[in-house]
Amino acid sequence: AAQFLTSAQREELSNWWLSVRGSANTPNWDLVSTCTVEGQRGLVLVEAKAHRSELSTAGKDPGNPQNEASIRAAIKEANLALNDLIPGWSLSADSHYQLCNRFAWSWKLASLGIPVVMNYLGFLNAAEMSSNSPPFSSAQEWETEVLKHSRGIVPERVWTEPLLIGGTPLFSMIRAVDLRGVAG
């Protein structure tokens, strides 16, 4: 991630999320890219899904107790700060952990002055991907599922309105792409 963040930013994020590094992980995104947001260097963070069963309601798997406490504190900090901006957040490590850690991580980046475009990307008609559920067939179906999945955790309006975190924009969006027929 050296090309995306400075060493000081990486250190601050890791210290915020983890107490004991070792083999522990910070959130892993499906795609990360730089971008320009309102004239400032920012990050595009993509979480991609192809099937309904990938939208998990599970909580965080148990791990190192010190990291568990650190991650819970980080998510709680993000939840409190986001609720100060727009009431209705319910980020937690106990339920919808992946969704919650994505928003917590995006908030933290924005709080460090890094503009963020967080995209929940649905791959449509991805029948070749193995899963126990059928693939998403339309952008509307994908959006409906994400909104349903995030209801009670994330205020719905954040999917269409940017948040300003200390003056730094955080855009959250739901998008879909159909790659059928795209040469590979």
Side-chain angles (χ1 to χ4, degrees):
Q3 65 274 28
F4 299 115
L5 301 171
T6 67
S7 58
Q9 290 167 330
R10 285 193 313 277
E11 192 66 21
E12 185 164 349
L13 280 165
S14 293
N15 288 336
W16 173 72
W17 196 254
L18 300 171
S19 291
V20 180
R21 302 240 183 117
S23 62
N25 288 325
T26 55
N28 294 304
W29 296 88
D30 292 311
L31 178 69
V32 177
S33 180
T34 59
C35 64
T36 301
V37 178
E38 298 175 357
Q40 190 176 2
R41 187 177 190 274
L43 291 176
V44 175
L45 306 174
V46 177
E47 181 62 34
K49 307 290 185 203
H51 298 271
R52 193 171 280 103
S53 62
E54 293 179 278
L55 293 170
S56 174
T57 60
K60 183 184 179 319
D61 289 334
N64 175 294
Q66 293 164 297
N67 283 340
E68 182 94 18
S70 183
I71 291 167
R72 287 178 179 280
I75 291 173
K76 182 177 181 179
E77 179 185 356
N79 188 63
L80 290 170
L82 288 165
N83 269 295
D84 282 346
L85 294 173
I86 298 175
W89 292 88
S90 189
L91 303 182
S92 164
D94 296 322
S95 175
H96 296 74
Y97 175 67
Q98 188 177 69
L99 175 72
C100 293
N101 78 40
R102 297 309 188 242
F103 272 99
W105 196 257
S106 297
W107 167 81
K108 183 61 174 177
L109 285 166
S111 78
L112 296 174
I114 302 165
V116 175
V117 177
M118 185 189 65
N119 186 345
Y120 257 64
L121 181 63
F123 286 102
L124 304 180
N125 302 301
E128 70 282 0
M129 307 268 303
S130 66
S131 178
N132 293 328
S133 62
F136 298 106
S137 60
S138 71
Q140 182 60 50
E141 179 187 10
W142 167 243
E143 181 177 349
T144 298
E145 282 303 313
V146 173
L147 292 175
K148 179 178 155 188
H149 177 69
S150 64
R151 189 170 295 124
I153 308 292
V154 175
E156 188 170 320
R157 72 186 231 205
V158 303
W159 293 110
T160 57
E161 298 175 21
L163 295 171
L164 284 179
I165 314 297
T168 301
L170 165 56
F171 295 88
S172 308
M173 55 185 59
I174 303 168
R175 298 293 187 269
V177 63
D178 189 338
L179 296 178
R180 289 180 301 177
V182 174

